[in-house]
Amino acid sequence: MWRLTESLMDLLWDSDAEIAGLTLITLSFIFLHKSILISTPIALQLAKALLPLFDHENSQVQLLSIKLFQDMMGFLEKGEKPLERPVHQSLLPLFFHCHDENQRVAEASREMLICVAEFLRRRDLEKLVKKEKLWIFANCLLAEDRSRAAEHLRRALPYLQSPQEPLREAAVRFMGMAGRSLRGQQGELQLISEALEGMANDISVSVGSLAIQSLCILKAVDQAPIPKFQRLRDQLRRAWKTRPRLLRLGWLGCWGSVEG
């Protein structure tokens, strides 16, 4: 059965909406059989194949891929380590599609976002989605740590080119929030500035105005002095992440001998 599933997953990369749609329907029928056990490697492959389809230009393919992803998670234990990364990567596209013009896609994305937060054991995120506090949700994603914030930034860039005005507007607003979270990270800030400058002449006046406003705020924040507390917090985070290297070098052993 899973050999058939692997063959079907290969078809998900086909750009033809009809083939992708039929493949998703076939895979969904397989998942209807609760007696079938899904292995972690298969689930990992399927998750990676489904993620790009959340942004498919065909709304039916979007809906089917989101639903199948949700069905797949029902076969897994919450917090299963190998699946944490692809499941975590689904948070941002689902967040953006909560603003989708297609109400069915928006509703499916919100429902799925709750399931993902539950799988990751993030009760804070789950509550925010249920209360429809999506922008506080986005701020929580960016506040996790700077490396994840930089990853979210790069994954958000394609939404600036969306044919849907609500998605472009959400992406511009997210860029502004990311800029404040990544303060002091010159490479990322340059990327955000260039992206916002490119959106200043958007066909939508509201999107263009928001881009200009976000750019002005970003420049003002970047020029302001960094608070001592934030600087100390960033230094402590960097020190914490270098622990394995310090252990190899024997630094912590030296520190212990000094304390003694």
Side-chain angles (χ1 to χ4, degrees):
M1 180 63 77
W2 291 123
R3 285 181 182 176
L4 171 62
T5 304
E6 287 181 312
S7 300
L8 288 169
M9 281 193 290
D10 291 337
L11 294 175
L12 290 178
W13 300 102
D14 197 295
S15 58
D16 185 87
E18 186 176 355
I19 292 174
L22 289 171
T23 304
L24 289 166
I25 291 170
T26 305
L27 286 167
S28 297
F29 278 123
I30 292 174
F31 277 87
L32 286 174
H33 295 277
K34 299 296 184 182
S35 59
I36 295 176
L37 297 176
I38 180 170
S39 67
T40 298
I42 289 290
L44 193 59
Q45 281 182 269
L46 185 58
K48 290 178 179 178
L50 290 174
L51 277 173
L53 298 180
F54 291 2
D55 297 318
H56 201 281
E57 60 184 14
N58 184 287
S59 61
Q60 190 62 25
V61 171
Q62 286 180 288
L63 287 166
L64 288 167
S65 61
I66 291 171
K67 181 66 171 63
L68 182 55
F69 199 102
Q70 188 173 347
D71 290 343
M72 177 199 71
M73 287 173 58
F75 280 76
L76 307 170
E77 291 187 14
K78 292 175 185 177
E80 194 165 331
K81 287 292 182 183
L83 272 296
E84 276 191 6
R85 181 169 175 77
V87 171
H88 196 283
Q89 287 176 338
S90 73
L91 288 169
L92 195 64
L94 289 169
F95 161 76
F96 278 117
H97 285 294
C98 285
H99 302 85
D100 205 284
E101 288 177 337
N102 186 310
Q103 284 304 303
R104 292 178 64 201
V105 172
E107 289 170 10
S109 298
R110 276 193 291 271
E111 183 182 337
M112 180 63 184
L113 209 48
I114 292 169
C115 293
V116 170
E118 187 180 352
F119 179 86
L120 295 171
R121 295 194 175 102
R122 291 293 305 270
R123 292 290 303 278
D124 55 335
L125 298 181
E126 184 182 344
K127 287 179 180 179
L128 289 171
V129 179
K130 286 180 176 178
K131 293 179 180 179
E132 297 189 358
K133 296 181 178 180
L134 290 175
W135 287 106
I136 301 178
F137 171 94
N139 196 50
C140 286
L141 286 185
L142 290 167
E144 287 178 335
D145 64 60
R146 292 202 168 193
S147 61
R148 276 242 171 109
E151 181 184 342
H152 289 316
L153 164 64
R154 285 171 170 76
R155 291 173 65 83
L157 286 171
Y159 293 97
L160 293 171
Q161 308 305 320
S162 171
Q164 294 188 31
E165 181 180 333
L167 291 189
R168 295 199 309 279
E169 186 172 340
V172 167
R173 186 173 175 182
F174 187 85
M175 289 290 156
M177 293 173 64
R180 292 189 287 276
S181 297
L182 292 165
R183 188 179 174 197
Q185 305 291 309
Q186 291 306 313
E188 282 76 15
L189 288 175
Q190 181 64 29
L191 186 63
I192 294 170
S193 296
E194 290 174 358
L196 291 174
E197 286 171 3
M199 295 301 294
N201 295 317
D202 191 85
I203 190 171
S204 165
V205 175
S206 62
V207 173
S209 298
L210 181 61
I212 294 169
Q213 181 184 355
S214 299
L215 193 57
C216 291
I217 293 172
L218 187 61
K219 287 181 177 179
V221 169
D222 190 42
Q223 291 169 2
I226 299 176
K228 290 182 180 179
F229 176 78
Q230 183 179 334
R231 192 182 300 116
L232 177 61
R233 182 188 63 188
D234 292 343
Q235 288 171 348
L236 288 171
R237 280 179 173 171
R238 284 195 294 272
W240 183 258
K241 289 179 180 179
T242 58
R243 283 180 306 144
R245 186 165 59 88
L246 292 174
L247 283 168
R248 287 196 300 271
L249 293 173
W251 276 60
L252 296 185
C254 293
W255 177 257
S257 62
V258 169
E259 284 189 323

